[in-house]
Amino acid sequence: MHAVSDEQVEMLVARAKPRVELAMALPQFTPGLAEVNVFDVAGQRSVADRASDAVRNLGSEAVRRAKGGLVRDFGARNPERGWIGFAMFLSVVTSVLAAAFASGIRSDPADVAVAVTVLGAVAAVANAISLAGSRLHPLNRFVLRMQVFICVGLAAAAAFSFSYGLTDAATAQLVCLLVAAIVGILVVAMRWRDADGTETIDLSVERAYLRAIDEVALGARDVQRRLDAELDPATAALIARVRTALFADLGNRNAALAAFDSAAPVGSALIAAQTDPDRWLPASVAKLRRRPGRR
């Protein structure tokens, strides 16, 4: 095995540096982009490309499986895209609109009494349909929160209608409120009765994406093993030294390069560039994951 000379390292760093400096101007720059250039000047671009191709779709495929699992396991109750969530959202919107119209802020309450009644009825019916769709299985905690808005909206609509002397409209709103209250009580009862089922659905999305993170990490490790097997020890040592020198040289201009662990396996930067969960998780999930105490 030939020793890696300082002159060879300096020559390759000098060749890679202008390319990496150009890449650093890109908003999507990562240490992975820099490492690809190190592979390139070392004559191993094909190895880097194969590794990149192998990990490119790991995240998107894991997300697809996670979403498919939620649909399979929860159907209409799926916290992400189950139709119960859409029905509940419709109920929230119409109950809030009913309260807004009944308040008389923008129009005479008497003129919109029929509209208020129709909106309240839609809210109550959508709410009841949501309960029916659950088949009396626990609904997630966000449904419970929406239920509060529905009841408050219908209660406000009834109160406003009474205050303007619109007895018929107010009575209709009270009936709708009664329906929503019964639904709310049953939702609470279902969650209380089945504690295990409640925990399962409340944590379903988080658990689905934690499994996805594990799947991608496993795939990334497999790609890393294959990349290691493709490089002979001398080439791997050369790439590692060039990477370390290049990242140290440019580290004062880029925090990610400065923070990179020089002891990390060759190829780990370009693999991480596409398998880092923050890069492929849905934005809302990635944001929750970055909270203190989250994985």
Side-chain angles (χ1 to χ4, degrees):
M1 181 176 71
H2 299 291
V4 178
S5 68
D6 292 341
E7 293 77 11
Q8 187 178 15
V9 171
E10 290 175 3
M11 178 189 69
L12 295 181
V13 168
R15 288 176 56 192
K17 184 176 178 180
R19 306 181 188 185
V20 175
E21 287 176 322
L22 287 174
M24 287 169 62
L26 300 173
Q28 66 271 29
F29 176 78
T30 65
L33 282 175
E35 189 174 44
V36 167
N37 282 284
V38 173
F39 271 75
D40 194 12
V41 297
Q44 299 297 324
R45 181 59 182 257
S46 61
V47 176
D49 287 344
R50 280 193 291 274
S52 295
D53 289 342
V55 297
R56 181 170 292 113
N57 296 320
L58 288 179
S60 59
E61 290 172 356
V63 168
R64 178 178 53 78
R65 286 191 294 271
K67 291 181 179 294
L70 290 169
V71 172
R72 181 190 64 244
D73 295 341
F74 298 103
R77 296 186 300 133
N78 175 8
E80 274 208 325
R81 298 188 67 83
W83 66 258
I84 286 177
F86 292 104
M88 289 293 295
F89 181 72
L90 173 63
S91 187
V92 170
V93 170
T94 50
S95 63
V96 171
L97 286 175
F101 283 131
S103 68
I105 293 176
R106 291 186 172 274
S107 55
D108 187 335
D111 294 338
V112 294
V114 174
V116 170
T117 301
V118 171
L119 288 169
V122 171
V125 170
N127 204 200
I129 289 175
S130 300
L131 177 66
S134 73
R135 298 182 180 180
L136 300 184
H137 293 300
L139 294 171
N140 71 84
R141 58 179 175 266
F142 299 108
V143 167
L144 192 60
R145 294 173 187 175
M146 285 192 284
Q147 193 67 42
V148 173
F149 283 102
I150 294 166
C151 290
V152 169
L154 292 175
F160 283 131
S161 295
F162 267 124
S163 69
Y164 289 114
L166 302 172
T167 307
D168 292 342
T171 302
Q173 295 303 315
L174 283 177
V175 171
C176 295
L177 174 59
L178 178 62
V179 171
I182 291 172
V183 171
I185 291 170
L186 290 175
V187 168
V188 172
M190 291 186 300
R191 288 172 58 84
W192 177 79
R193 180 194 62 188
D194 185 358
D196 290 340
T198 296
E199 180 183 29
T200 297
I201 196 165
D202 281 350
L203 299 178
S204 58
V205 174
E206 180 177 357
R207 288 172 174 172
Y209 287 114
L210 284 176
R211 287 193 295 270
I213 290 172
D214 289 340
E215 290 173 13
V216 172
L218 183 63
R221 287 194 293 270
D222 182 58
V223 173
Q224 182 70 62
R225 283 193 294 269
R226 297 204 302 268
L227 185 150
D228 292 341
E230 285 194 70
L231 297 174
D232 61 72
T235 302
L238 173 63
I239 293 173
R241 284 194 59 185
V242 173
R243 184 185 67 183
T244 298
L246 178 65
F247 285 19
D249 189 9
L250 297 175
N252 62 335
R253 294 161 57 186
N254 184 274
L257 293 180
F260 189 81
D261 182 6
S262 60
V266 167
S268 60
L270 65 91
I271 290 173
Q274 299 194 59
T275 58
D276 181 350
D278 286 341
R279 293 186 173 273
W280 55 264
L281 282 172
S284 58
V285 180
K287 183 178 179 180
L288 286 174
R289 181 175 172 271
R290 288 192 289 269
R291 289 182 179 177
R294 295 280 181 165
R295 179 174 169 179

